[in-house]
């Protein structure tokens, strides 16, 4: 399906490819003031998070170098990575993401320009081998940084200190992720993911306002749909545009609100005209997952069938139903469709009668009737719970001891949005200060992929060594703080 459209979509996407902005930066501290011997280490601190290419200008001191200089260079987004090792790594995603490389320099002096793009604030250089006849001098170190975000589009935030700091870190997070596409994280996976794109586009609309990049990403997803028209959860752009063979129900559906958001923020009707049929098609594809007799979505134990959050213990059945309803409502804002409106009403009623525990004011999920914060949040965002009932749900879940919690800034974004929806603006602001402010208190220059204040080692991958510390989906405080949604009368 839609195969005949793809060449034109790809052409539009490629025409919108950004020219990356480049800047040369140097370490603010850590440059050695002496010649290094074998086994010495230095840590260069660039003073902030950057994405780019490192060059070292090296020379020898002493006798003519009679053996290669062998260096290990490690790039760290966060200072904790400086001390982490890959020894014993048993995680389920590739350790290839760890930004650690080795170089042999046969002839000195040398300009060592590293071809790989890295995401970093710190660069640790270990001198693995020299010879006893010479020492190594690092004459200069600099990075050429890249981004498709233009800082001059962003005015500094007014307001008190803590929020201004959170906003700055959020902006830096988005900026580092804005490359040829909106990447999810410039360390890992350096790829365009739909769930991340939706939140990046939202934040971009009140900050860098690079609407062409959003448009490009929407067309790229359209090109990456499979033969059935199903939009993948993420895509690759190299060596050619290709969808990943990972499909997540919620991510495919989020193409719809991302399109709507873009039309509302960027005012572009052409993209909606081109892509609305494909967007609506995602709702139809998701229909297969519904039981026609009950109007309820079927649960699944396939990991990632519906993402929602990285909490591996979360039952996602209720959230999946709610997200379908949320996305169908977004579709109805772009196009009137009485049939779809009826289905939304039916599926809302079905969700309420199957999963609302009116006595406890809580929505439950799955055969074990699990109570999670995510379910209450999505009940509110999807309009399955409204008014006082919505408030009661969020209050009840906060008072519930054994609730399944949230581990990503991505899910936390939705919680804050739900608080805004029920008018709890001060509480929403406080969550931003506590949660994103918590990362700042841990020294974050950019916001992280995962942050569970109760467990600093949280990682769904088996080890935090592959976690990303500049992750797109965590940039939304800049949206909350700038869009006006936190204002009491908004
Ligand atoms: C992680 C990725 C990405 C996210 C998916 C679901 O692996 O980093 O950001 O969207 O999970």
């Amino acid at each position: 399906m839609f195969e005949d459209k793809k060449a034109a979509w790809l052409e539009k996407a490629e025409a919108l490819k950004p020219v990356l902005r480049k800047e040369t930066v140097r370490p603010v501290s850590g440059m050695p003031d002496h010649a290094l011997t074998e086994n010495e280490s230095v840590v260069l601190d660039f003073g902030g998070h950057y994405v780019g290419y490192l060059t070292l200008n090296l020379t020898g001191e002493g006798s003519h170098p009679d053996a290669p200089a062998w260096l290990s260079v490690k790039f760290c987004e966060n200072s904790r990575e400086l001390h982490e090792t890959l020894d014993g790594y048993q995680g389920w995603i590739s350790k290839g993401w760890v930004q650690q490389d080795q170089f042999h320099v046969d002839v000195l002096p040398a300009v060592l320009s590293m071809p790989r793009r890295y995401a970093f604030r710190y660069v640790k250089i270990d001198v693995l081998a020299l010879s006893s006849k010479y020492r190594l001098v690092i004459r200069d170190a600099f990075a050429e940084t890249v981004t498709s975000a233009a800082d001059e589009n962003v005015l500094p935030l007014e307001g008190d200190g803590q929020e201004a700091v959170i906003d700055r870190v959020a902006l830096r997070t988005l900026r580092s992720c804005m490359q040829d596409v909106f990447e999810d994280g410039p360390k890992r996976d350096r790829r365009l993911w739909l769930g991340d794109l939706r939140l990046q586009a939202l934040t971009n609309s009140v900050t860098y306002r690079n609407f062409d990049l959003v448009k490009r990403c929407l067309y790229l997803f359209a090109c990456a749909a499979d033969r059935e028209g199903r939009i993948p959860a993420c895509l690759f752009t190299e060596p050619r545009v290709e969808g990943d063979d990972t499909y997540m129900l919620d991510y495919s559906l989020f193409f719809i609100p991302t399109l709507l958001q873009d039309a509302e923020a960027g005012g572009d009707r052409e993209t909606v005209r081109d892509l609305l049929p494909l967007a609506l098609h995602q709702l139809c594809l998701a229909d297969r997952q519904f039981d026609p007799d009950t109007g309820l979505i079927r649960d699944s134990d396939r990991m990632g069938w519906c993402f929602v959050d990285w909490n591996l213990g979360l039952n996602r059945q209720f959230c999946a139903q709610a997200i379908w309803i949320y996305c169908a409502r977004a579709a109805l804002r772009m196009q009137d469709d009485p049939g779809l409106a009826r289905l939304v009403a039916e599926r809302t009623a079905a969700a309420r009668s199957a999963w609302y525990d009116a006595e406890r004011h809580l929505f439950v999920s799955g055969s074990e009737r699990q109570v999670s914060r995510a379910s209450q949040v999505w009940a509110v965002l999807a309009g399955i719970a409204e008014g006082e009932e919505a408030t009661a749900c969020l209050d009840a879940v906060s008072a519930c001891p054994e609730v399944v919690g949230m581990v990503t800034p991505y899910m936390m974004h939705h919680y804050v949005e739900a608080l805004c929806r029920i008018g709890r603006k001060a509480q929403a602001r406080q969550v931003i200060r506590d949660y994103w402010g918590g990362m700042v208190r841990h020294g974050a220059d950019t916001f992280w992929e995962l942050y569970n204040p109760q467990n600093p080692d949280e990682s769904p991958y088996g080890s935090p060594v592959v976690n990303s510390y500049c992750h797109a989906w965590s940039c939304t405080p800049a949206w909350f703080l700038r869009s006006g949604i936190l204002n009491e009368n908004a």
Side-chain angles (χ1 to χ4, degrees):
M1 281 190 90
F2 303 100
E3 291 305 308
D4 56 327
K5 306 266 191 313
K6 288 188 175 172
W9 289 344
L10 185 58
E11 209 173 296
K12 288 193 184 186
E14 294 304 23
L16 294 163
K17 190 169 179 172
V19 175
L20 297 183
R21 304 159 67 86
K22 299 183 176 164
E23 195 194 338
T24 301
V25 294
R26 289 192 156 74
V28 294
S29 69
M31 277 297 277
D33 54 5
H34 61 279
L36 305 174
T37 53
E38 190 168 296
N39 295 326
E40 264 196 85
S41 296
V42 292
V43 176
L44 310 181
D45 178 359
F46 281 78
H49 189 277
Y50 292 101
V51 178
Y53 301 84
L54 183 75
T55 296
L56 297 178
N57 191 336
L58 304 169
T59 191
E61 188 182 283
S63 303
H64 191 288
D66 58 339
W70 180 25
L71 306 178
S72 162
V73 185
K74 186 175 182 183
F75 294 80
C76 305
E77 298 189 295
N78 185 291
S79 58
R80 74 171 281 164
E81 292 168 284
L82 288 167
H83 314 290
E84 284 172 344
T85 76
L86 269 171
D87 297 346
Y89 175 73
Q90 299 273 327
W92 60 270
I93 61 169
S94 171
K95 57 182 182 243
W97 288 115
V98 176
Q99 304 183 107
Q100 186 159 0
D101 283 305
Q102 293 189 2
F103 299 90
H104 282 84
V105 184
D106 290 296
V107 179
L108 290 166
V111 175
L112 175 60
S113 290
M114 301 176 195
R116 185 162 193 258
R117 198 199 75 190
Y118 300 100
F120 60 96
R121 169 172 170 172
Y122 306 98
V123 179
K124 181 165 186 264
I125 303 171
D126 292 312
V127 183
L128 299 180
L130 299 176
S131 84
S132 56
K133 295 185 70 177
Y134 79 100
R135 292 168 300 284
L136 185 72
V137 179
I138 304 178
R139 291 204 290 210
D140 192 12
F142 61 90
E144 184 169 61
T145 68
V146 283
T147 176
S148 52
D151 282 340
E152 55 267 27
N153 290 355
V154 188
L155 291 172
L157 190 72
E158 290 170 22
D160 83 22
Q162 192 191 12
E163 289 184 359
V165 172
I166 292 175
D167 179 67
R168 257 204 313 281
V169 176
L171 286 176
R172 174 55 66 164
T173 307
L174 181 58
R175 185 185 199 273
S176 284
C177 292
M178 286 172 72
Q179 301 295 333
D180 275 353
V181 294
F182 282 99
E183 293 183 9
D184 63 331
K187 167 186 168 186
R188 206 213 80 244
D189 310 303
R190 303 168 62 147
R191 206 175 300 164
L192 174 59
W193 285 82
L194 232 166
D196 303 67
L197 171 64
R198 176 169 148 262
L199 300 191
Q200 284 168 299
L202 199 62
T203 307
N204 172 68
S205 71
V206 293
T207 57
Y208 299 110
R209 299 179 63 79
N210 187 344
F211 295 109
D212 280 355
L213 192 65
V214 179
K215 205 166 153 184
R216 164 170 160 80
C217 293
L218 286 166
Y219 280 108
L220 286 175
F221 268 115
C223 299
D226 70 8
R227 298 211 147 259
E228 287 189 294
R230 192 165 48 145
I231 298 180
C234 70
L235 60 85
F236 305 93
T237 51
E238 300 288 348
R240 72 190 83 78
V241 176
E242 192 177 2
D244 189 8
D245 53 3
T246 299
Y247 296 90
M248 295 170 166
L249 184 98
D250 48 349
Y251 274 33
S252 299
L253 290 171
F254 280 141
F255 190 73
I256 305 166
T258 313
L259 188 61
L260 170 66
Q261 238 170 250
D262 182 56
E264 285 178 343
D268 174 22
R269 297 305 300 174
E270 182 198 347
T271 322
V272 174
R273 225 181 12 251
D274 281 353
L275 303 181
L276 187 60
L278 175 68
L280 298 176
H281 185 60
Q282 305 312 304
L283 290 168
C284 305
L285 289 171
D287 274 347
R288 295 187 203 144
Q289 189 80 18
F290 280 85
D291 179 333
D293 298 331
T294 61
L296 298 178
I297 204 154
R298 289 188 203 91
D299 205 354
S300 166
D301 51 18
R302 180 174 69 79
M303 184 172 164
W305 74 276
C306 178
F307 175 64
V308 187
D309 190 18
W310 261 128
N311 188 331
L312 299 175
L314 176 69
N315 179 280
R316 289 151 163 88
Q317 189 180 17
F318 178 84
C319 290
Q321 177 112 1
I323 289 170
W324 186 92
I325 292 168
Y326 174 91
C327 294
R329 287 187 195 276
L332 290 170
R333 279 167 60 191
M334 288 185 279
Q335 180 174 288
D336 204 22
D337 180 342
L340 182 60
R342 209 171 321 114
L343 208 51
V344 167
E346 281 167 21
R347 290 180 177 173
T348 302
R352 292 182 56 84
S353 73
W355 293 316
Y356 188 50
D357 179 338
E359 248 164 61
R360 296 161 75 205
H361 300 297
L362 288 169
F363 286 87
V364 297
S365 180
S367 57
E368 316 240 301
R369 300 181 72 75
Q370 183 189 78
V371 177
S372 67
R373 201 177 283 261
S375 292
Q376 319 314 312
V377 165
W378 276 108
V380 173
L381 294 178
I384 299 173
E386 287 176 306
E388 283 174 13
E389 195 180 82
T391 308
C393 275
L394 290 182
D395 283 346
V397 80
S398 297
C400 188
E402 69 290 11
V403 62
V404 174
M406 310 176 279
V407 300
T408 55
Y410 172 77
M411 187 59 227
M412 199 53 102
H413 163 90
H414 294 111
Y415 176 48
V416 176
E417 203 180 331
L419 287 174
C420 293
R421 181 75 72 90
I422 62 165
R424 291 274 177 86
K425 308 294 173 102
Q427 195 183 343
R429 221 176 250 279
Q430 197 53 48
V431 174
I432 294 173
R433 286 165 167 244
D434 291 345
Y435 184 77
W436 279 271
M439 286 185 256
V440 172
R441 285 188 287 280
H442 280 95
D445 293 293
T446 46
F447 289 124
W448 311 339
E449 173 184 20
L450 297 133
Y451 175 54
N452 178 358
Q454 271 78 53
N455 175 20
D457 285 336
E458 185 82 42
S459 173
Y461 310 119
S463 163
V465 71
V466 286
N467 286 4
S468 147
Y469 292 97
C470 173
H471 216 72
W473 63 22
S474 65
C475 71
T476 59
W479 177 72
F480 283 115
L481 294 168
R482 287 157 181 276
S483 63
I485 191 173
L486 292 171
N487 299 342
E488 284 302 336
N489 47 6

